[in-house]
Amino acid sequence: MALLYAEQVEYLDVEEMQETHEEEIKILNEVEKLATQYTMDKSNKSKLSELEAKLDEYIEHIKVHFANEERLMKKYNFPSYEMHKTAHDMFLTDIDYAIQQWKNFGDINKVINFIFKSPEWIVLHINTVDVPTARYIAQKMANEAE
Ligand SMILES: [Fe+2]
Ligand SMILES: [Fe+2]
């Protein structure tokens, strides 16, 4: 069973936003799988390095994902830019804190806990914030194409 399924989040009107979400859900599920395996056998050092590498990949993906949405919002003058950007920044602050605990004090459990709780935020954010943003941007893109 996966932590999150692409079907749990609403389909977006902007293709590149949709693709980013699907990719990110895939990476998140890989993180979850490795984290579960590592939790079952904490002496497995190679599993730990696999998990660390996957976490880095996931965090990098989130940062690029958010930055790209913010770029699109600016490009098309999305009126609720500030609200949407603040939501991203708050999520990044939380994940950065967990990562600091991990990188500075070797406490990977903080990150694992964060990852396991994150689907709730992700679903809510996509369905209530990304959906109207994508609808607006898709409309602007269509006007531009005319
Ligand atoms: Fe998004
Ligand atoms: Fe977003």
Side-chain angles (χ1 to χ4, degrees):
M1 216 185 112
L3 194 59
L4 183 61
Y5 291 92
E7 294 74 21
Q8 282 172 267
V9 301
E10 218 129 340
Y11 198 91
L12 297 188
D13 293 342
V14 177
E15 197 51 39
E16 63 178 289
M17 287 174 73
Q18 176 64 27
E19 278 170 15
T20 300
H21 287 168
E22 287 176 20
E23 272 169 27
E24 201 158 287
I25 289 169
K26 223 173 126 195
I27 303 170
L28 171 67
N29 287 324
E30 289 164 359
V31 169
E32 189 258 356
K33 200 171 163 206
L34 290 168
T36 305
Q37 290 167 345
Y38 169 68
T39 309
M40 286 188 305
D41 177 16
K42 291 201 171 178
S43 63
N44 191 337
K45 294 288 173 227
S46 72
K47 196 54 78 184
L48 178 60
S49 17
E50 258 186 86
L51 171 60
E52 287 173 341
K54 192 55 78 179
L55 274 170
D56 283 332
E57 181 189 342
Y58 179 57
I59 289 144
E60 189 49 37
H61 198 279
I62 293 172
K63 289 187 174 164
V64 174
H65 158 197
F66 287 178
N68 192 49
E69 285 185 5
E70 288 156 18
R71 181 186 61 78
L72 286 171
M73 286 192 274
K74 273 194 162 159
K75 182 173 176 194
Y76 294 102
N77 291 311
F78 181 58
S80 305
Y81 171 85
E82 286 302 332
M83 182 274 291
H84 194 152
K85 167 111 173 61
T86 303
H88 287 168
D89 288 347
M90 283 166 69
F91 185 84
L92 287 178
T93 303
D94 286 350
I95 200 165
D96 276 339
Y97 174 76
I99 292 159
Q100 263 176 39
Q101 299 292 308
W102 161 37
K103 304 251 156 147
N104 298 340
F105 307 107
D107 183 7
I108 202 156
N109 293 313
K110 283 262 189 328
V111 188
I112 295 177
N113 284 341
F114 183 87
I115 297 291
F116 278 78
K117 286 190 303 186
S118 66
E120 202 185 334
W121 184 91
I122 295 169
V123 171
L124 191 69
H125 180 81
I126 293 177
N127 293 354
T128 65
V129 181
D130 285 350
V131 164
T133 304
R135 195 175 296 140
Y136 178 91
I137 291 171
Q139 190 61 53
K140 288 267 178 161
M141 281 173 160
N143 293 344
E144 211 179 51
E146 268 171 20

